[in-house]
Amino acid sequence: MFRQPLLLLTLIGLLPRMLCAQSAAPDTAESGSVAEIAQATTEARFLSPWVAYLPASAHVVSPRAFLHRIPGAPGELVNSATAYAYCRALAGSSPRVRMFTLGRSEEGRDIVLLAIADEQGIEALERLRTATAALADPRRTDAAAAAGIVATARPIYYINAGLHSDETGSTESVLELAYRLAVSEQPMIRRVREKLVVLINPVANPDGRDKQVEWFYRYLKGRTDQATLPRQAPPYWSRYAFVDINRDAHQQVHETTKAVFRMFYAWHPQVIHDLHESIALLLTWNGTNPLNRHVDALTYAERLELSLHEVQTLTGFGMPGVWTWNFGDDWAHLYLDSIATNHNSDGRGYETFGNGSAETMRSEQPDDNTTLQWYRPSPAPPQPLLWSARDNVNYNETALLAALDDSAQQAQALLNNFYLKGLHSYRRGLDEPPYGFLIPDGQGDPRRVAQLIARLLSLGIEVQRSTSALTLKEGSWPAGTYVVRLDQPYRDYAVDLLTDQFYPKDAPEAYDDVSWSFPAHYHLAVIATADPQVRAAQLTPLSEPPQIAGTVAGSGPVFLLKDSGQESLLEARYALARFRVGIAERAFSIDGAQYPAGSWILAPQAGLASALRDTAAKLGLDFSSTAAVPQVTRHEAAVPRLGVWVPWADTDTAGWARYTLDQRHIPYGYVRDEDIRAGKLRDKYDVLLYPHVDLELAEQIEGLHRQWSPMPFKKTSATPSFGTPASSDDITGGIGYGGLAELQRFIDSGGLLITLGNGSMLPLEAGLVRGVRREAGGPPRSTQGGGAASAAASQNTEVRTPGAHLRVSFARPEHPIAYGYAARTWVFRQNFALYSIPRRWLRMAYCTVCLDGPIDRSGIVLEWGDREGAPFVVSGQAWGEENLIGRAAILDMPSGKGHVITFNFNPLHRDLNRGDQRLLWNAIINWRAILAQR
């Protein structure tokens, strides 16, 4: 409840002046709405006349009537079921609204879509969808036909709310917006209905929304002192990702992303507008330099025009703190709104000021966005400022109305530009090299090739396959080669994905990854061709992903599997868990065939041949047979009991690791902090995997602050969405130092601990292994990505590799981790900490005879840099690379009876760098052989 009566009276007294620019007429304000909105707004300047009332309707149910409160009322949040119930009521009572289902979440909740237009638009939805689809492909729509379509079609404007679940205001905002668009008779609103089709996804991530709403009512309701709030978000939103659900545009891992892709292919909207919260008071996205040259210039121009219109409109209402441009970069288009940018539409978004709560409180954000700049003509008031959920709704809804009105007034221009962008992309594929890409299917891992093709198809990139041998100026390829011809509407996106990136060294700090090259991520050869004759090749279009079926040649009794770098070997080992598998430690030849180290040898066993046929068919592996077991040094690859430790303080990046294992049907134990504390880990697990976490060392040990204890995350009648995918009576306290001792016991008693990315900070700096110190850096955060101190350490380190593909060399090419790889390769690295080369011991005191011991490189399996001098950067960029080259990318260090393997990169980065995954799989498959090494 608003607690300043004098200010409330002032607000109500100012209402006549606020409404003079646009009175409620011809609308009638719903009784009580004016006073309630004014009461929930903290300052008069945080409210525009457009949203100062709710229009009354005799027939259409309002959100205020349905929810028994205004959207953005203090201390209240709507869950997904109630939001959807209101959407159904709105669609059922208004002929201007129709409701659709886009899909279902991982936990089975609907993901819904509202379509809003005037009655004629609603009746013509199918025709309007067909029209934008025709404009999307200039090959079947010439200029004359396009002009006719533009004259009678409408732009489609999609609004996405609730992607990041702790950013709660957007769902409240769009529920009110949908109602206002449906019933208001203001000339501006009528113009929007008549000229556009507005699509609204009110809860993009319903699983997270429900967890967040329950979290608010359980832990945050009634608390208004921001400095003493407990953790403001539950440990999980969706099954796997947290914030990184907005880093999925190239992968489509999450059901939320898949739903938006389905929407795009069904509607071909001209705008995807994603709503977020983080900074004061409203930022309308445009990024900064550097720009991505594979995005059409018209997209940049349209986005700037729309943003500047929003800045102008809200500033004209006297609403401070509205700005654009100076946030993030426009280099990497890997976010949800990028689905539009990558497909010739406009990807847009807002960041508004949010409390992370529905309560009104004095709030302060950690960054400084209050200076007067050309892109911020009216800065936000100094912080801390009193801010409410209704303030957030006011800014969101006013800006969205401005954007929709601007789009309505240039409806034909938006449609024409949409057509032109597809035409430009198509013409570039005809007029300038490359004219296509060749992807040989006979590469070392045919299944990974098929996965690449499947991903391209899912992104709307057309792929064909040669039906005969193909000869171009770059060489010759056999029938069956995959071909991406670039005379297609999404040519620019295909080039962006299938070529390397080189981020300018003099550019500002990157917001996220600077490389996303699919060939580098998949470790596959993709050949660009400058020969236009590729268009004359005999090709068959692919309508579905290729299916790779392996073979079993011969009847045994001994079977062999040549290691050619196949990523599916870990899945195969678990599929064949009841059989003995030997792995060759040296190359060998038999029956005229060559087998490298890492190849499998399966001695005669009952039922083996049948099991191999099933595995070969499912995983695309080719087994051969021979009469006798080859005479070569080998080790038995027993199937390990695998545990994956997911700390409650950061489940996000570990979620990607869990997703990867789940997709490969790898059984593992979900290990919580309290399970570590409980000990006896060696009784349950042979291998313990600790994924990358975005936590400093103390955070990894101490976890969530115990002052919040107990903080249960489990299913109850009041919190039915809690407890998924894991539950706890108390998520605070981390593993503690007792848990650290239990990890030491696990290792010393013969366990293998594998740590990824920043997770490697724990064993290297907490004393689980000795002889290595951190010399620079920290968790890989960007300044605008959050965590100012850690971001500064990461950005100001001697080495910066903000999501780049970098060359590495095996210092121990005979090590099992090296199986399936060349001696020199590359991996993907973010801004991880810089560690010293191991020494026999580190300085024990300040004296001349107590200095660091001699360098000991014996634990280095993989080192940064190419030993033959190839350029360090494959794709992306690196700063200070001379300080990284020669240091350890992978360490294997014994401790007691066990080993610790640390990765100075993350081989499971967002299901992207699939060519790196085999390094981790090798460590898991060969765990017993690694432990045998001393």
Side-chain angles (χ1 to χ4, degrees), residues 110-426:
D110 283 343
I111 302 173
V112 309
L113 181 73
L114 292 179
I116 304 171
D118 62 2
E119 289 85 345
Q120 291 76 21
I122 292 296
E123 291 174 3
L125 282 181
E126 192 59 36
R127 176 182 66 82
L128 296 173
R129 291 187 348 172
T130 302
T132 52
L135 292 175
D137 191 345
R139 296 169 301 182
R140 63 186 181 96
T141 306
D142 62 21
I149 292 172
V150 167
T152 59
R154 300 186 186 191
I156 298 174
Y157 198 114
Y158 170 84
I159 300 169
N160 193 79
L163 180 64
H164 283 162
S165 301
D166 63 339
E167 299 165 6
T168 55
S170 60
T171 293
E172 303 271 329
S173 301
V174 300
L175 292 178
E176 180 171 301
L177 174 67
Y179 172 74
R180 192 179 303 278
L181 292 175
V183 306
S184 174
E185 294 302 326
Q186 291 288 350
M188 177 186 72
I189 304 280
R190 291 180 61 183
R191 181 166 54 242
V192 169
R193 283 199 302 263
E194 293 166 0
K195 297 291 186 180
L196 304 179
V197 174
V198 179
L199 304 179
I200 297 177
N201 181 340
V203 191
N205 180 5
D207 297 346
R209 179 73 184 188
D210 288 356
K211 289 181 177 64
Q212 184 66 43
V213 169
E214 291 168 18
W215 190 268
F216 168 77
Y217 284 108
R218 174 66 175 82
Y219 293 111
L220 302 175
K221 187 170 174 60
R223 296 173 178 256
T224 58
D225 181 3
Q226 191 181 52
T228 61
L229 290 178
R231 178 185 167 105
Q232 291 179 260
Y236 275 100
W237 292 337
S238 56
R239 180 177 296 173
Y240 296 111
F242 203 69
V243 172
D244 263 9
I245 199 171
N246 197 26
R247 306 292 190 274
D248 193 32
H250 296 326
Q251 309 98 292
Q252 296 188 61
V253 161
H254 305 289
E255 293 303 321
T256 290
T257 317
K258 295 174 185 176
V260 177
F261 264 94
R262 283 192 288 269
M263 178 281 304
F264 187 88
Y265 294 143
W267 295 85
H268 294 90
Q270 283 58 67
V271 179
I272 289 180
H273 194 144
D274 196 19
L275 303 179
H276 289 266
E277 298 172 13
S278 68
I279 49 182
L281 288 177
L282 185 145
L283 165 76
T284 169
W285 293 345
N286 269 295
T288 58
N289 292 333
L291 302 183
N292 186 316
R293 64 191 178 92
H294 298 304
V295 174
D296 194 278
L298 279 171
T299 293
Y300 288 124
E302 286 178 330
R303 290 167 55 205
L304 278 168
E305 191 279 332
L306 284 163
S307 291
L308 291 172
H309 178 78
E310 291 156 342
V311 173
Q312 179 184 12
T313 301
L314 273 69
T315 301
F317 283 135
M319 302 175 78
V322 182
W323 53 292
T324 188
W325 188 70
N326 193 34
F327 181 83
D329 60 57
D330 221 276
W331 177 256
H333 292 284
L334 46 85
Y335 313 100
L336 188 120
D337 71 294
S338 304
I339 296 170
T341 306
N342 294 329
H343 294 88
N344 303 325
S345 295
D346 295 338
R348 312 192 62 232
Y350 294 156
E351 298 282 350
T352 57
F353 203 50
N355 288 334
S357 168
E359 299 292 0
T360 301
M361 65 184 79
R362 292 204 172 274
S363 189
E364 185 170 10
Q365 299 293 347
D367 42 29
D368 176 18
N369 295 299
T370 59
T371 58
L372 181 66
Q373 304 286 348
W374 70 263
Y375 51 84
R376 188 167 47 232
S378 176
Q383 299 181 38
L385 56 86
L386 191 66
W387 188 255
S388 70
R390 182 65 206 188
D391 294 335
N392 194 13
V393 170
N394 295 340
Y395 270 77
N396 259 330
E397 193 177 357
T398 301
L400 285 167
L401 287 169
L404 292 172
D405 184 43
D406 193 25
S407 299
Q409 293 192 59
Q410 54 178 329
Q412 290 194 353
L414 277 174
L415 288 170
N416 190 60
N417 287 347
F418 177 65
Y419 173 74
L420 287 176
K421 285 184 280 187
L423 179 63
H424 293 165
S425 184
Y426 167 63

Side-chain angles (χ1 to χ4, degrees), residues 440-781:
D441 72 338
Q443 302 187 54
D445 187 355
R447 193 165 184 244
R448 198 185 310 148
V449 176
Q451 291 170 350
L452 172 60
I453 300 305
R455 187 152 281 179
L456 291 172
L457 291 171
S458 74
L459 296 172
I461 307 299
E462 297 171 2
V463 183
Q464 299 172 307
R465 198 166 193 184
S466 64
T467 57
S468 62
L470 181 62
T471 299
L472 301 170
K473 62 172 62 175
E474 291 82 10
S476 297
W477 291 268
T481 299
Y482 297 102
V483 178
V484 179
R485 280 177 44 174
L486 292 178
D487 51 335
Q488 58 174 294
Y490 302 144
R491 172 265 181 199
D492 291 344
Y493 189 30
V495 175
D496 192 46
L497 294 173
L498 294 175
T499 57
D500 294 332
Q501 290 76 45
F502 293 99
Y503 192 87
K505 278 214 168 186
D506 59 352
E509 175 196 348
Y511 186 77
D512 207 275
D513 295 346
V514 296
S515 176
W516 51 90
S517 164
F518 275 13
H521 269 319
Y522 281 75
H523 285 226
L524 293 174
V526 176
I527 302 97
T529 177
D531 192 338
Q533 289 302 309
V534 69
R535 295 196 292 269
Q538 296 180 11
L539 305 173
T540 299
L542 294 181
S543 58
E544 58 184 26
Q547 302 298 316
I548 305 300
T551 60
V552 178
S555 56
V558 177
F559 292 93
L560 307 174
L561 174 63
K562 180 184 292 188
D563 187 349
S564 59
Q566 305 97 316
E567 187 271 327
S568 57
L569 291 193
L570 181 67
E571 185 172 356
R573 187 63 197 96
Y574 277 93
L576 298 170
R578 63 190 180 94
F579 298 101
R580 300 187 311 278
V581 174
I583 296 183
E585 297 180 358
R586 298 286 184 271
F588 66 94
S589 61
I590 192 169
D591 300 333
Q594 302 295 318
Y595 292 83
S599 297
W600 288 16
I601 302 170
L602 296 100
Q605 299 166 70
L608 177 61
S610 175
L612 290 182
R613 283 192 289 271
D614 290 343
T615 301
K618 292 177 182 176
L619 301 180
L621 296 172
D622 293 327
F623 293 88
S624 59
S625 63
T626 187
V629 173
Q631 296 302 304
V632 61
T633 304
R634 63 186 182 276
H635 59 259
E636 291 296 318
V639 175
R641 299 170 299 166
L642 176 65
V644 179
W645 170 28
V646 182
W648 288 115
D650 180 15
T651 66
D652 193 14
T653 48
W656 292 101
R658 291 175 40 247
Y659 171 82
T660 302
L661 293 170
D662 287 348
Q663 291 298 301
R664 285 147 187 79
H665 310 100
I666 307 303
Y668 62 88
Y670 186 111
V671 183
R672 307 166 301 167
D673 293 338
E674 52 265 54
D675 299 323
I676 300 286
R677 295 196 303 264
K680 297 184 179 179
L681 297 171
R682 192 66 186 88
D683 294 346
K684 303 173 186 176
Y685 307 111
D686 303 305
V687 178
L688 187 59
L689 175 64
Y690 183 34
H692 164 58
V693 290
D694 189 16
L695 301 169
E696 280 285 6
L697 178 62
E699 297 165 337
Q700 295 185 39
I701 297 172
E702 297 171 6
L704 301 176
H705 207 296
R706 281 204 177 275
Q707 69 179 1
W708 304 328
S709 178
M711 184 173 271
F713 180 70
K714 61 182 182 180
K715 185 173 183 176
T716 68
S717 59
T719 56
S721 72
F722 283 15
T724 302
S727 66
S728 176
D729 291 324
D730 187 2
I731 64 173
T732 70
I735 62 169
Y737 294 92
L740 190 65
E742 294 299 337
L743 288 174
Q744 188 75 69
R745 291 189 185 95
F746 168 76
I747 299 163
D748 289 347
S749 60
L752 175 62
L753 174 65
I754 305 174
T755 61
L756 309 181
N758 200 61
S760 295
M761 184 180 287
L762 186 77
L764 295 179
E765 299 185 36
L768 297 180
V769 294
R770 308 295 294 273
V772 180
R773 65 164 60 93
R774 191 202 313 190
E775 295 188 341
R781 300 170 182 167

